DNA sequence: TTGAAAGCGTTACCAA
DNA sequence: TTGGTAACGCTTTCAA
């Protein structure tokens, strides 16, 4: 069933039917209802390909996933985020195009997306320091939203980010309130935007309590299990070890857990640990595992928000906010003070 | 620059130019080269939207990701698989459409994909026992390839799967060769196709060595960390504990590791463990963590193969195999016999 | 408030 | 080997 056929059934012109279905104001309310009823009855589905050609819009949004050359893992960040974004896209009639490209070839991918007109907009993942993609997309004139922030960008750009600073500030405060005074920070490499912000939050909370950060219990390393383990061993076996840990990544947390247990201690009882991770949020703690985690479904919500922002941008809706700082959800499992209580 | 403009520059008809560019045999070789040169010179990119409308093809493949209602995690299986598939799609000019749908709504999603004609074919993930999607897709006439196998399907259907039976047989044999005689099996729930096959492989290897499987050290549970931990604790504290473990999932393996370490033992030294996982293969072991894993980049390769098969199906290429059993890659890290050493 | 007709940029059929 | 013309199914003027 296509538009012409439907129009014939209704004894109307395709024009009118199209207008009725697309909510144009000039059509008679009675007509509109007749049309809507018929469309339902005959299960009319407009042909997307025709719409795309006629309007010149792609009705699709691209997520370019850089992959492979350096790391062998596909970063699964995207799972939750994309699930959230996907909801919004389908509600708005947009398709979600996934473009997997070798990460040394990203520029070409964006150029092609533009020249072939396959998408109306793009979401940029894992921004780097002075991310070249931002000026590139600006130049190409492709609407885009960045998931995260790219410190040092010359021009302003639209983004959705989790409030990493505040999340770490709150987590630190929580530990301070429990009575901890030696709180270690296991951070990601601090050339990444989020890592810098996380450290700032941690330091701010300490400062508010009159505590000077001790570089001996602050680390910024690759977010791997190996690093988490090594750092845990080192910190726990040093004199005056921390009583609590604030960890930037779930994977690092696994390594830390191993280190803690190797010493015959237990997480959540002998040592308090808060793990914040807005990337690998698919990994849940077993119910009996006393890890405290911050941020969970926030990533999904961030996906929704980014998608909504992008669609607004595509439609040229002015006025909507172009920068969105989301508060991390804080999930507390089991907690204890520094002195076994 | 569109076809008509390019044709005008060349003093040819759009028809001829189109034919030249699309490799039709009837065009003069000299003309073809002139056209190709001009296309390059003017950086002509055919308009995908027009092609799609004119041909009726979508030039896109759909991956429907069921999500949310029951589990709260998006299964990250798809990451590696999709990366592999994506390579093949883009090489063949197909877009990859990701459709995230609530898992109680999958049927509607497929029907809509069909009626709106957004894709030419579909990949089905995580098949269930008598998966309703298979007859549905058959009925709808959408070409599809299943990643995995759906036991009990009435009709034949195209699939790509990892040889789970053989992988577990080989892993068990490896442990037997090291001298282990009490090898525990930590399997996923055995209503899933792959779990059944894995158990069969395990039992076959034991049988070949004249060992009767001991139900006391065989478990089939949810593939979570909690279950892995609980089973590990139970098995290790029972009389006559296993000296080796064969585990079906990386996440379960994490729980088992915890159980082992809680008892002051070390994986790979005191207890041998092989973890097989063709789903959560993004999780790597730290270099110093003596877990042995089977199957890694196989998932990616499976994605490639499935994509190639689907494209063949879409193009109606006959003769190509419709069923593909892939051997799992076996990665051995560090190993030891049952008697320390 | 409705309709006719001209695109949108290709491909595909039929002639030449 | 090439070209003219009609699709493909919608949206978008312009006219009534």
């Amino acid at each position: 069933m296509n538009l012409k056929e439907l129009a014939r059934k209704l004894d109307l012109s395709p024009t009118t039917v199209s207008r009725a279905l697309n909510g144009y104001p000039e059509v008679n309310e009675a007509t509109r209802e007749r049309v809507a009823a018929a469309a339902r009855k005959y299960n009319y589905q407009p042909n997307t390909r025709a719409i795309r050609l006629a309007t010149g819009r792609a009705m699709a949004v691209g997520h370019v996933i850089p992959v492979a050359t350096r790391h062998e893992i596909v970063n699964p960040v995207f799972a939750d985020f994309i699930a959230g974004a996907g909801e919004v896209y389908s509600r708005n009639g947009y398709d979600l195009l996934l473009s997997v490209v070798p990460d040394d070839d990203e520029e070409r991918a964006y150029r092609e997306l533009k020249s072939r007109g396959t998408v109306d907009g793009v979401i940029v993942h894992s921004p780097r320091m002075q991310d070249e993609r931002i000026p590139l997309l600006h130049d190409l004139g492709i609407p885009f939203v960045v998931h995260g922030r790219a410190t040092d960008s010359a021009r302003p750009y639209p983004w959705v980010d989790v409030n990493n600073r505040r999340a770490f500030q709150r987590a630190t405060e929580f530990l301070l309130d429990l009575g901890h005074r030696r709180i270690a920070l296991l951070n990601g490499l601090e050339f990444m935007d989020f890592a810098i912000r996380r450290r700032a939050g941690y330091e701010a909370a300490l400062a508010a309590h009159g505590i000077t950060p001790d570089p001996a219990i602050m680390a910024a390393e690759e977010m791997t299990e190996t690093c988490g383990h090594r750092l845990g061993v080192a910190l726990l076996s040093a004199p005056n070890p921390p009583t609590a840990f604030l960890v930037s990544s779930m994977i690092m947390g696994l390594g830390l857990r191993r280190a803690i247990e190797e010493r015959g201690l237990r997480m959540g009882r002998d040592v308090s640990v808060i793990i914040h991770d807005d990337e690998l949020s698919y990994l849940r703690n077993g119910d009996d595992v006393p890890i405290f985690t911050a941020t969970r479904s926030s990533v999904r919500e961030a996906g929704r928000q980014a998608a909504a922002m992008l669609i607004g941008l595509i439609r040229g809706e002015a006025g909507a906010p172009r920068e969105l700082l989301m508060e991390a959800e804080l999930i507390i499992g089991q907690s204890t003070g520094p002195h076994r209580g």
Side-chain angles (χ1 to χ4, degrees), chain A residues 45 49 52-53 56-57 68 72-74 95-98 115-118 225-226 251 257-258 261 282-284 286-287 289 300:
Chain A
Q45 301 271 36
R49 293 191 279 268
R52 293 195 224 254
L53 179 58
R57 290 174 302 171
E72 63 171 319
I73 37 170
V74 177
D95 285 337
L96 162 38
L97 214 81
L98 209 61
S115 65
R116 301 206 327 163
T118 25
E225 172 165 4
T226 313
I251 296 285
R257 177 159 83 196
R258 202 148 54 79
E261 283 164 1
Y282 52 87
L283 242 193
R284 293 170 59 211
D287 300 326
V289 184
R300 191 122 161 200

PDB file of all heavy atoms in Angstrom, chain A residues 45 49 52-53 56-57 68 72-74 95-98 115-118 225-226 251 257-258 261 282-284 286-287 289 300:
ATOM      1  N   GLN A  45       2.394   2.221   5.343  1.00  0.00           N
ATOM      2  CA  GLN A  45       3.711   2.631   5.838  1.00  0.00           C
ATOM      3  C   GLN A  45       4.382   3.440   4.748  1.00  0.00           C
ATOM      4  O   GLN A  45       4.654   2.906   3.677  1.00  0.00           O
ATOM      5  CB  GLN A  45       4.578   1.400   6.116  1.00  0.00           C
ATOM      6  CG  GLN A  45       4.014   0.443   7.128  1.00  0.00           C
ATOM      7  CD  GLN A  45       4.439   0.802   8.540  1.00  0.00           C
ATOM      8  OE1 GLN A  45       4.547   1.991   8.888  1.00  0.00           O
ATOM      9  NE2 GLN A  45       4.658  -0.202   9.351  1.00  0.00           N
ATOM     10  N   ARG A  49      12.522   5.222   1.640  1.00  0.00           N
ATOM     11  CA  ARG A  49      13.461   5.566   0.560  1.00  0.00           C
ATOM     12  C   ARG A  49      12.942   6.744  -0.254  1.00  0.00           C
ATOM     13  O   ARG A  49      13.700   7.624  -0.633  1.00  0.00           O
ATOM     14  CB  ARG A  49      13.667   4.355  -0.344  1.00  0.00           C
ATOM     15  CG  ARG A  49      14.387   3.233   0.370  1.00  0.00           C
ATOM     16  CD  ARG A  49      14.801   2.168  -0.620  1.00  0.00           C
ATOM     17  NE  ARG A  49      13.709   1.269  -0.936  1.00  0.00           N
ATOM     18  CZ  ARG A  49      13.461   0.134  -0.307  1.00  0.00           C
ATOM     19  NH1 ARG A  49      14.238  -0.233   0.691  1.00  0.00           N
ATOM     20  NH2 ARG A  49      12.460  -0.632  -0.647  1.00  0.00           N
ATOM     21  N   ARG A  52      13.226   9.933   1.791  1.00  0.00           N
ATOM     22  CA  ARG A  52      14.609  10.397   1.835  1.00  0.00           C
ATOM     23  C   ARG A  52      14.986  11.115   0.543  1.00  0.00           C
ATOM     24  O   ARG A  52      15.640  12.158   0.569  1.00  0.00           O
ATOM     25  CB  ARG A  52      15.552   9.219   2.049  1.00  0.00           C
ATOM     26  CG  ARG A  52      15.405   8.559   3.416  1.00  0.00           C
ATOM     27  CD  ARG A  52      16.616   7.675   3.675  1.00  0.00           C
ATOM     28  NE  ARG A  52      16.244   6.391   4.230  1.00  0.00           N
ATOM     29  CZ  ARG A  52      16.408   6.030   5.496  1.00  0.00           C
ATOM     30  NH1 ARG A  52      16.907   6.870   6.354  1.00  0.00           N
ATOM     31  NH2 ARG A  52      16.075   4.838   5.912  1.00  0.00           N
ATOM     32  N   LEU A  53      14.598  10.526  -0.563  1.00  0.00           N
ATOM     33  CA  LEU A  53      14.965  11.151  -1.833  1.00  0.00           C
ATOM     34  C   LEU A  53      14.243  12.483  -2.001  1.00  0.00           C
ATOM     35  O   LEU A  53      14.842  13.492  -2.378  1.00  0.00           O
ATOM     36  CB  LEU A  53      14.622  10.235  -3.009  1.00  0.00           C
ATOM     37  CG  LEU A  53      14.957  10.814  -4.375  1.00  0.00           C
ATOM     38  CD1 LEU A  53      16.440  11.165  -4.462  1.00  0.00           C
ATOM     39  CD2 LEU A  53      14.573   9.851  -5.486  1.00  0.00           C
ATOM     40  N   GLY A  56      15.562  14.960   0.760  1.00  0.00           N
ATOM     41  CA  GLY A  56      16.993  15.184   0.847  1.00  0.00           C
ATOM     42  C   GLY A  56      17.553  14.898   2.232  1.00  0.00           C
ATOM     43  O   GLY A  56      18.740  15.063   2.480  1.00  0.00           O
ATOM     44  N   ARG A  57      16.693  14.490   3.125  1.00  0.00           N
ATOM     45  CA  ARG A  57      17.188  14.125   4.451  1.00  0.00           C
ATOM     46  C   ARG A  57      17.513  12.636   4.473  1.00  0.00           C
ATOM     47  O   ARG A  57      16.937  11.853   3.735  1.00  0.00           O
ATOM     48  CB  ARG A  57      16.129  14.432   5.509  1.00  0.00           C
ATOM     49  CG  ARG A  57      15.910  15.909   5.744  1.00  0.00           C
ATOM     50  CD  ARG A  57      14.735  16.110   6.688  1.00  0.00           C
ATOM     51  NE  ARG A  57      13.531  15.502   6.133  1.00  0.00           N
ATOM     52  CZ  ARG A  57      12.393  15.360   6.814  1.00  0.00           C
ATOM     53  NH1 ARG A  57      12.322  15.769   8.062  1.00  0.00           N
ATOM     54  NH2 ARG A  57      11.338  14.806   6.240  1.00  0.00           N
ATOM     55  N   ALA A  68      40.252  -1.028  16.584  1.00  0.00           N
ATOM     56  CA  ALA A  68      41.191  -2.045  16.164  1.00  0.00           C
ATOM     57  C   ALA A  68      42.682  -1.727  16.145  1.00  0.00           C
ATOM     58  O   ALA A  68      43.429  -2.355  16.879  1.00  0.00           O
ATOM     59  CB  ALA A  68      40.826  -2.593  14.803  1.00  0.00           C
ATOM     60  N   GLU A  72      43.017  -4.265  20.982  1.00  0.00           N
ATOM     61  CA  GLU A  72      42.315  -5.325  20.287  1.00  0.00           C
ATOM     62  C   GLU A  72      40.874  -5.444  20.758  1.00  0.00           C
ATOM     63  O   GLU A  72      40.100  -6.223  20.242  1.00  0.00           O
ATOM     64  CB  GLU A  72      43.036  -6.668  20.426  1.00  0.00           C
ATOM     65  CG  GLU A  72      43.113  -7.175  21.834  1.00  0.00           C
ATOM     66  CD  GLU A  72      43.635  -8.607  21.889  1.00  0.00           C
ATOM     67  OE1 GLU A  72      43.229  -9.395  21.032  1.00  0.00           O
ATOM     68  OE2 GLU A  72      44.452  -8.905  22.771  1.00  0.00           O
ATOM     69  N   ILE A  73      40.533  -4.660  21.742  1.00  0.00           N
ATOM     70  CA  ILE A  73      39.142  -4.740  22.161  1.00  0.00           C
ATOM     71  C   ILE A  73      38.298  -3.607  21.616  1.00  0.00           C
ATOM     72  O   ILE A  73      38.721  -2.463  21.546  1.00  0.00           O
ATOM     73  CB  ILE A  73      38.973  -4.706  23.693  1.00  0.00           C
ATOM     74  CG1 ILE A  73      40.001  -3.748  24.321  1.00  0.00           C
ATOM     75  CG2 ILE A  73      39.114  -6.077  24.267  1.00  0.00           C
ATOM     76  CD1 ILE A  73      39.721  -3.487  25.773  1.00  0.00           C
ATOM     77  N   VAL A  74      37.114  -3.957  21.259  1.00  0.00           N
ATOM     78  CA  VAL A  74      36.125  -2.959  20.930  1.00  0.00           C
ATOM     79  C   VAL A  74      35.622  -2.404  22.251  1.00  0.00           C
ATOM     80  O   VAL A  74      35.161  -3.144  23.109  1.00  0.00           O
ATOM     81  CB  VAL A  74      34.943  -3.608  20.204  1.00  0.00           C
ATOM     82  CG1 VAL A  74      33.879  -2.574  19.933  1.00  0.00           C
ATOM     83  CG2 VAL A  74      35.408  -4.257  18.938  1.00  0.00           C
ATOM     84  N   ASP A  95      16.913   6.306  11.834  1.00  0.00           N
ATOM     85  CA  ASP A  95      17.665   5.068  11.899  1.00  0.00           C
ATOM     86  C   ASP A  95      19.008   5.331  12.556  1.00  0.00           C
ATOM     87  O   ASP A  95      19.531   6.438  12.500  1.00  0.00           O
ATOM     88  CB  ASP A  95      17.894   4.502  10.498  1.00  0.00           C
ATOM     89  CG  ASP A  95      16.637   3.871   9.936  1.00  0.00           C
ATOM     90  OD1 ASP A  95      15.761   3.487  10.735  1.00  0.00           O
ATOM     91  OD2 ASP A  95      16.530   3.773   8.709  1.00  0.00           O
ATOM     92  N   LEU A  96      19.544   4.279  13.131  1.00  0.00           N
ATOM     93  CA  LEU A  96      20.854   4.389  13.769  1.00  0.00           C
ATOM     94  C   LEU A  96      21.861   3.612  12.939  1.00  0.00           C
ATOM     95  O   LEU A  96      21.760   2.397  12.786  1.00  0.00           O
ATOM     96  CB  LEU A  96      20.767   3.827  15.190  1.00  0.00           C
ATOM     97  CG  LEU A  96      22.033   3.445  15.942  1.00  0.00           C
ATOM     98  CD1 LEU A  96      23.158   4.415  15.669  1.00  0.00           C
ATOM     99  CD2 LEU A  96      21.744   3.439  17.425  1.00  0.00           C
ATOM    100  N   LEU A  97      22.789   4.350  12.391  1.00  0.00           N
ATOM    101  CA  LEU A  97      23.772   3.751  11.510  1.00  0.00           C
ATOM    102  C   LEU A  97      25.066   3.558  12.256  1.00  0.00           C
ATOM    103  O   LEU A  97      25.616   4.507  12.809  1.00  0.00           O
ATOM    104  CB  LEU A  97      24.016   4.707  10.355  1.00  0.00           C
ATOM    105  CG  LEU A  97      24.309   4.036   9.055  1.00  0.00           C
ATOM    106  CD1 LEU A  97      22.994   3.610   8.431  1.00  0.00           C
ATOM    107  CD2 LEU A  97      25.037   4.995   8.163  1.00  0.00           C
ATOM    108  N   LEU A  98      25.551   2.347  12.272  1.00  0.00           N
ATOM    109  CA  LEU A  98      26.793   2.085  12.967  1.00  0.00           C
ATOM    110  C   LEU A  98      27.893   1.952  11.934  1.00  0.00           C
ATOM    111  O   LEU A  98      27.795   1.154  11.018  1.00  0.00           O
ATOM    112  CB  LEU A  98      26.656   0.777  13.745  1.00  0.00           C
ATOM    113  CG  LEU A  98      27.501   0.681  14.993  1.00  0.00           C
ATOM    114  CD1 LEU A  98      27.106   1.768  15.949  1.00  0.00           C
ATOM    115  CD2 LEU A  98      27.299  -0.671  15.616  1.00  0.00           C
ATOM    116  N   SER A 115      29.579  13.192   2.138  1.00  0.00           N
ATOM    117  CA  SER A 115      29.403  13.307   0.696  1.00  0.00           C
ATOM    118  C   SER A 115      28.344  12.338   0.171  1.00  0.00           C
ATOM    119  O   SER A 115      27.638  12.638  -0.779  1.00  0.00           O
ATOM    120  CB  SER A 115      30.731  13.078  -0.028  1.00  0.00           C
ATOM    121  OG  SER A 115      31.176  11.761   0.174  1.00  0.00           O
ATOM    122  N   ARG A 116      28.232  11.191   0.801  1.00  0.00           N
ATOM    123  CA  ARG A 116      27.183  10.284   0.353  1.00  0.00           C
ATOM    124  C   ARG A 116      25.853  10.596   1.031  1.00  0.00           C
ATOM    125  O   ARG A 116      24.826  10.003   0.695  1.00  0.00           O
ATOM    126  CB  ARG A 116      27.576   8.826   0.621  1.00  0.00           C
ATOM    127  CG  ARG A 116      28.885   8.435  -0.086  1.00  0.00           C
ATOM    128  CD  ARG A 116      28.921   6.956  -0.347  1.00  0.00           C
ATOM    129  NE  ARG A 116      28.224   6.220   0.706  1.00  0.00           N
ATOM    130  CZ  ARG A 116      27.806   4.958   0.594  1.00  0.00           C
ATOM    131  NH1 ARG A 116      28.033   4.308  -0.525  1.00  0.00           N
ATOM    132  NH2 ARG A 116      27.190   4.367   1.589  1.00  0.00           N
ATOM    133  N   GLY A 117      25.910  11.496   1.989  1.00  0.00           N
ATOM    134  CA  GLY A 117      24.663  11.924   2.619  1.00  0.00           C
ATOM    135  C   GLY A 117      23.896  10.824   3.308  1.00  0.00           C
ATOM    136  O   GLY A 117      22.668  10.818   3.320  1.00  0.00           O
ATOM    137  N   THR A 118      24.631   9.879   3.896  1.00  0.00           N
ATOM    138  CA  THR A 118      23.933   8.767   4.534  1.00  0.00           C
ATOM    139  C   THR A 118      23.350   9.111   5.896  1.00  0.00           C
ATOM    140  O   THR A 118      22.495   8.398   6.381  1.00  0.00           O
ATOM    141  CB  THR A 118      24.864   7.546   4.707  1.00  0.00           C
ATOM    142  OG1 THR A 118      26.196   8.020   4.757  1.00  0.00           O
ATOM    143  CG2 THR A 118      24.700   6.597   3.553  1.00  0.00           C
ATOM    144  N   GLU A 225      43.263  -4.271  34.650  1.00  0.00           N
ATOM    145  CA  GLU A 225      43.274  -5.063  35.864  1.00  0.00           C
ATOM    146  C   GLU A 225      44.685  -5.163  36.439  1.00  0.00           C
ATOM    147  O   GLU A 225      44.891  -5.053  37.638  1.00  0.00           O
ATOM    148  CB  GLU A 225      42.746  -6.474  35.557  1.00  0.00           C
ATOM    149  CG  GLU A 225      42.919  -7.362  36.747  1.00  0.00           C
ATOM    150  CD  GLU A 225      42.127  -8.640  36.674  1.00  0.00           C
ATOM    151  OE1 GLU A 225      41.489  -8.882  35.641  1.00  0.00           O
ATOM    152  OE2 GLU A 225      42.154  -9.379  37.662  1.00  0.00           O
ATOM    153  N   THR A 226      45.631  -5.338  35.535  1.00  0.00           N
ATOM    154  CA  THR A 226      47.020  -5.452  35.980  1.00  0.00           C
ATOM    155  C   THR A 226      47.448  -4.240  36.793  1.00  0.00           C
ATOM    156  O   THR A 226      48.041  -4.362  37.859  1.00  0.00           O
ATOM    157  CB  THR A 226      47.939  -5.589  34.747  1.00  0.00           C
ATOM    158  OG1 THR A 226      47.372  -6.566  33.878  1.00  0.00           O
ATOM    159  CG2 THR A 226      49.331  -5.994  35.160  1.00  0.00           C
ATOM    160  N   ILE A 251      37.392  -2.251  35.754  1.00  0.00           N
ATOM    161  CA  ILE A 251      38.443  -3.226  35.491  1.00  0.00           C
ATOM    162  C   ILE A 251      39.605  -3.059  36.471  1.00  0.00           C
ATOM    163  O   ILE A 251      40.106  -4.022  37.045  1.00  0.00           O
ATOM    164  CB  ILE A 251      38.961  -3.070  34.042  1.00  0.00           C
ATOM    165  CG1 ILE A 251      37.848  -3.378  33.040  1.00  0.00           C
ATOM    166  CG2 ILE A 251      40.151  -3.954  33.790  1.00  0.00           C
ATOM    167  CD1 ILE A 251      37.530  -4.834  32.902  1.00  0.00           C
ATOM    168  N   ARG A 257      40.654  -5.525  43.829  1.00  0.00           N
ATOM    169  CA  ARG A 257      40.002  -6.531  44.660  1.00  0.00           C
ATOM    170  C   ARG A 257      40.927  -7.732  44.890  1.00  0.00           C
ATOM    171  O   ARG A 257      41.047  -8.247  45.990  1.00  0.00           O
ATOM    172  CB  ARG A 257      38.725  -7.004  43.988  1.00  0.00           C
ATOM    173  CG  ARG A 257      38.032  -8.104  44.767  1.00  0.00           C
ATOM    174  CD  ARG A 257      36.593  -8.200  44.390  1.00  0.00           C
ATOM    175  NE  ARG A 257      36.403  -9.000  43.186  1.00  0.00           N
ATOM    176  CZ  ARG A 257      35.297  -8.994  42.459  1.00  0.00           C
ATOM    177  NH1 ARG A 257      34.294  -8.199  42.791  1.00  0.00           N
ATOM    178  NH2 ARG A 257      35.181  -9.746  41.407  1.00  0.00           N
ATOM    179  N   ARG A 258      41.570  -8.123  43.811  1.00  0.00           N
ATOM    180  CA  ARG A 258      42.483  -9.243  43.913  1.00  0.00           C
ATOM    181  C   ARG A 258      43.585  -8.930  44.920  1.00  0.00           C
ATOM    182  O   ARG A 258      43.917  -9.757  45.784  1.00  0.00           O
ATOM    183  CB  ARG A 258      43.077  -9.535  42.530  1.00  0.00           C
ATOM    184  CG  ARG A 258      43.616 -10.916  42.347  1.00  0.00           C
ATOM    185  CD  ARG A 258      43.454 -11.380  40.919  1.00  0.00           C
ATOM    186  NE  ARG A 258      44.043 -10.439  39.973  1.00  0.00           N
ATOM    187  CZ  ARG A 258      45.340 -10.363  39.705  1.00  0.00           C
ATOM    188  NH1 ARG A 258      46.192 -11.154  40.318  1.00  0.00           N
ATOM    189  NH2 ARG A 258      45.794  -9.498  38.825  1.00  0.00           N
ATOM    190  N   GLU A 261      42.242  -9.070  48.446  1.00  0.00           N
ATOM    191  CA  GLU A 261      41.953 -10.408  48.944  1.00  0.00           C
ATOM    192  C   GLU A 261      43.220 -11.226  49.154  1.00  0.00           C
ATOM    193  O   GLU A 261      43.282 -12.075  50.041  1.00  0.00           O
ATOM    194  CB  GLU A 261      40.967 -11.113  48.003  1.00  0.00           C
ATOM    195  CG  GLU A 261      39.555 -10.592  48.240  1.00  0.00           C
ATOM    196  CD  GLU A 261      38.585 -10.938  47.134  1.00  0.00           C
ATOM    197  OE1 GLU A 261      39.010 -11.608  46.165  1.00  0.00           O
ATOM    198  OE2 GLU A 261      37.421 -10.523  47.234  1.00  0.00           O
ATOM    199  N   TYR A 282      28.380  -2.401  32.066  1.00  0.00           N
ATOM    200  CA  TYR A 282      27.658  -3.657  31.871  1.00  0.00           C
ATOM    201  C   TYR A 282      28.056  -4.677  32.924  1.00  0.00           C
ATOM    202  O   TYR A 282      27.410  -5.674  33.112  1.00  0.00           O
ATOM    203  CB  TYR A 282      27.947  -4.239  30.491  1.00  0.00           C
ATOM    204  CG  TYR A 282      29.409  -4.334  30.267  1.00  0.00           C
ATOM    205  CD1 TYR A 282      30.115  -5.440  30.677  1.00  0.00           C
ATOM    206  CD2 TYR A 282      30.093  -3.269  29.683  1.00  0.00           C
ATOM    207  CE1 TYR A 282      31.463  -5.505  30.521  1.00  0.00           C
ATOM    208  CE2 TYR A 282      31.446  -3.329  29.530  1.00  0.00           C
ATOM    209  CZ  TYR A 282      32.127  -4.444  29.943  1.00  0.00           C
ATOM    210  OH  TYR A 282      33.466  -4.495  29.788  1.00  0.00           O
ATOM    211  N   LEU A 283      29.173  -4.425  33.554  1.00  0.00           N
ATOM    212  CA  LEU A 283      29.670  -5.374  34.542  1.00  0.00           C
ATOM    213  C   LEU A 283      29.014  -5.093  35.871  1.00  0.00           C
ATOM    214  O   LEU A 283      29.251  -4.086  36.493  1.00  0.00           O
ATOM    215  CB  LEU A 283      31.174  -5.193  34.689  1.00  0.00           C
ATOM    216  CG  LEU A 283      32.062  -6.358  34.333  1.00  0.00           C
ATOM    217  CD1 LEU A 283      33.458  -6.113  34.835  1.00  0.00           C
ATOM    218  CD2 LEU A 283      31.525  -7.664  34.849  1.00  0.00           C
ATOM    219  N   ARG A 284      28.185  -5.995  36.304  1.00  0.00           N
ATOM    220  CA  ARG A 284      27.556  -5.765  37.594  1.00  0.00           C
ATOM    221  C   ARG A 284      28.305  -6.520  38.682  1.00  0.00           C
ATOM    222  O   ARG A 284      28.944  -7.524  38.436  1.00  0.00           O
ATOM    223  CB  ARG A 284      26.113  -6.235  37.555  1.00  0.00           C
ATOM    224  CG  ARG A 284      25.282  -5.401  36.634  1.00  0.00           C
ATOM    225  CD  ARG A 284      23.957  -6.039  36.442  1.00  0.00           C
ATOM    226  NE  ARG A 284      23.274  -6.198  37.697  1.00  0.00           N
ATOM    227  CZ  ARG A 284      22.422  -7.195  37.950  1.00  0.00           C
ATOM    228  NH1 ARG A 284      22.206  -8.107  37.041  1.00  0.00           N
ATOM    229  NH2 ARG A 284      21.819  -7.269  39.101  1.00  0.00           N
ATOM    230  N   GLY A 286      28.328  -8.989  41.749  1.00  0.00           N
ATOM    231  CA  GLY A 286      27.465 -10.004  42.322  1.00  0.00           C
ATOM    232  C   GLY A 286      26.833  -9.408  43.568  1.00  0.00           C
ATOM    233  O   GLY A 286      27.380  -8.502  44.182  1.00  0.00           O
ATOM    234  N   ASP A 287      25.680  -9.919  43.935  1.00  0.00           N
ATOM    235  CA  ASP A 287      24.965  -9.320  45.057  1.00  0.00           C
ATOM    236  C   ASP A 287      25.764  -9.402  46.351  1.00  0.00           C
ATOM    237  O   ASP A 287      25.580  -8.612  47.260  1.00  0.00           O
ATOM    238  CB  ASP A 287      23.626 -10.040  45.267  1.00  0.00           C
ATOM    239  CG  ASP A 287      22.769  -9.915  44.033  1.00  0.00           C
ATOM    240  OD1 ASP A 287      22.853  -8.857  43.385  1.00  0.00           O
ATOM    241  OD2 ASP A 287      22.049 -10.862  43.721  1.00  0.00           O
ATOM    242  N   VAL A 289      28.955  -9.112  46.574  1.00  0.00           N
ATOM    243  CA  VAL A 289      30.253  -8.467  46.448  1.00  0.00           C
ATOM    244  C   VAL A 289      30.152  -7.010  46.884  1.00  0.00           C
ATOM    245  O   VAL A 289      29.516  -6.207  46.213  1.00  0.00           O
ATOM    246  CB  VAL A 289      30.767  -8.518  45.000  1.00  0.00           C
ATOM    247  CG1 VAL A 289      32.160  -7.931  44.933  1.00  0.00           C
ATOM    248  CG2 VAL A 289      30.760  -9.944  44.513  1.00  0.00           C
ATOM    249  N   ARG A 300      23.030   5.226  29.895  1.00  0.00           N
ATOM    250  CA  ARG A 300      21.878   5.072  29.016  1.00  0.00           C
ATOM    251  C   ARG A 300      21.139   6.393  28.877  1.00  0.00           C
ATOM    252  O   ARG A 300      20.764   6.791  27.778  1.00  0.00           O
ATOM    253  CB  ARG A 300      20.947   4.045  29.653  1.00  0.00           C
ATOM    254  CG  ARG A 300      19.869   3.598  28.751  1.00  0.00           C
ATOM    255  CD  ARG A 300      20.007   2.144  28.623  1.00  0.00           C
ATOM    256  NE  ARG A 300      18.814   1.495  28.144  1.00  0.00           N
ATOM    257  CZ  ARG A 300      18.608   0.198  28.324  1.00  0.00           C
ATOM    258  NH1 ARG A 300      19.488  -0.504  29.027  1.00  0.00           N
ATOM    259  NH2 ARG A 300      17.566  -0.380  27.818  1.00  0.00           N
TER     260      ARG A 300
END
